[in-house]
Amino acid sequence: MRASDRAYEALREDIVEWRLLPGQVLGEVEQSERFGISRTPIREALSRLTADGLAEAHRGRGVVVSQVSLDDVRALFELREALDCRAARLAARRRDPAEFLRLATELEACVDRLHGPSTDDRSAYYELVERMDRAVDDATANPYLTAAQRSLRLHLARVRKLSRTNPSRLARAAAEHAQIARAIAEGSEELAEAATRVHLANSLHAVLTTPVREWVQPAPPLDAAG
């Protein structure tokens, strides 16, 4: 893996996982020391993050982690509704029933475990959701829809992690994903779309009711950010 790719993937994960908060400075010198590489690949990585919308130029501060506003979240979900509902219908039409039945069973098994304190169970749930996303992409057999979904999911992954401090919401989300998977397995386009709409409405409500202080962070002072 190229040095710039390694830095890009590590920084992207830190942003998505909220280890790097909105407004935090991504200094070239600091990051080059962290990864043990020169500033050129760091500059390339930061350019890619900026193109993704995960970082942004800030006058007087260099490149910082991009902010996430309530308007951003609403806009993401507007697009997500259009794409996810269409994908669910296509997946129900073209699916491999056995694959989605397996996913539904695994998701249902997650529900009770997600009420507990284990972070391992939450990580396993997020990995399962990613598997379901890939299964839906494969079932739709539409590369243009998949490409649009891939870009959107990068930002949704960041927003989705806001629910990790709410075990009840995670458990309900697992149950909702299971319903979507079963509807797809059964080949019911209408039910798959309806279940997707319910899940998206509940997910948006959960994000919008998350205390703002937990995720929209003010930019830290320049000297504190290093």
Side-chain angles (χ1 to χ4, degrees):
M1 181 182 294
R2 295 191 313 151
S4 61
D5 293 336
R6 179 164 58 89
Y8 166 76
E9 292 188 5
L11 289 169
R12 181 184 62 184
E13 181 178 353
D14 284 347
I15 293 171
V16 169
E17 295 290 339
W18 294 83
R19 292 190 288 266
L20 289 172
L21 297 177
Q24 191 163 341
V25 175
L26 301 174
E28 290 183 11
V29 173
E30 177 187 19
Q31 298 303 326
S32 65
E33 292 175 353
R34 171 189 173 185
F35 293 105
I37 58 180
S38 70
R39 294 173 62 178
T40 298
I42 292 296
R43 196 173 299 120
E44 293 175 6
L46 295 180
S47 294
R48 291 176 65 184
L49 291 169
T50 301
D52 288 340
L54 295 177
E56 58 191 5
H58 192 291
R59 186 169 57 187
R61 298 176 63 83
V63 177
V64 302
V65 177
S66 62
Q67 298 285 346
V68 181
S69 71
L70 295 179
D71 287 341
D72 292 334
V73 172
R74 292 189 182 96
L76 284 170
F77 272 81
E78 286 175 358
L79 179 57
R80 185 183 183 189
E81 182 178 10
L83 296 179
D84 280 13
C85 287
R86 184 58 181 166
R89 292 188 71 96
L90 290 175
R93 186 182 308 171
R94 304 166 179 169
R95 85 289 183 208
D96 172 3
E99 180 175 15
F100 283 94
L101 281 175
R102 284 193 298 270
L103 285 166
T105 300
E106 291 183 59
L107 285 160
E108 288 163 352
C110 279
V111 175
D112 289 337
R113 295 199 303 269
L114 285 169
H115 283 291
S118 173
T119 56
D120 290 340
D121 290 332
R122 297 173 197 175
S123 297
Y125 167 64
Y126 287 125
E127 291 175 3
L128 188 52
V129 170
E130 290 178 2
R131 277 177 51 201
M132 182 168 169
D133 285 343
R134 292 194 296 271
V136 170
D137 287 344
D138 291 342
T140 61
N142 186 319
Y144 301 103
L145 179 57
T146 299
Q149 290 277 57
R150 187 180 300 115
S151 175
L152 177 64
R153 285 174 186 154
L154 180 60
H155 295 277
L156 287 173
R158 189 182 182 194
V159 173
R160 179 182 284 162
K161 296 301 172 66
L162 294 171
S163 297
R164 63 185 169 190
T165 57
N166 185 343
S168 295
R169 174 55 203 155
L170 282 178
R172 291 195 301 271
E176 290 161 9
H177 274 112
Q179 290 177 336
I180 297 170
R182 285 204 175 274
I184 292 174
E186 293 167 2
S188 175
E189 296 183 32
E190 293 77 11
L191 185 56
E193 179 178 351
T196 299
R197 289 188 187 279
V198 169
H199 170 63
L200 295 180
N202 290 340
S203 296
L204 178 58
H205 176 75
V207 173
L208 294 181
T209 55
T210 298
V212 173
R213 65 179 178 276
E214 292 186 13
W215 55 285
V216 181
Q217 301 288 335
L222 185 57
D223 55 354

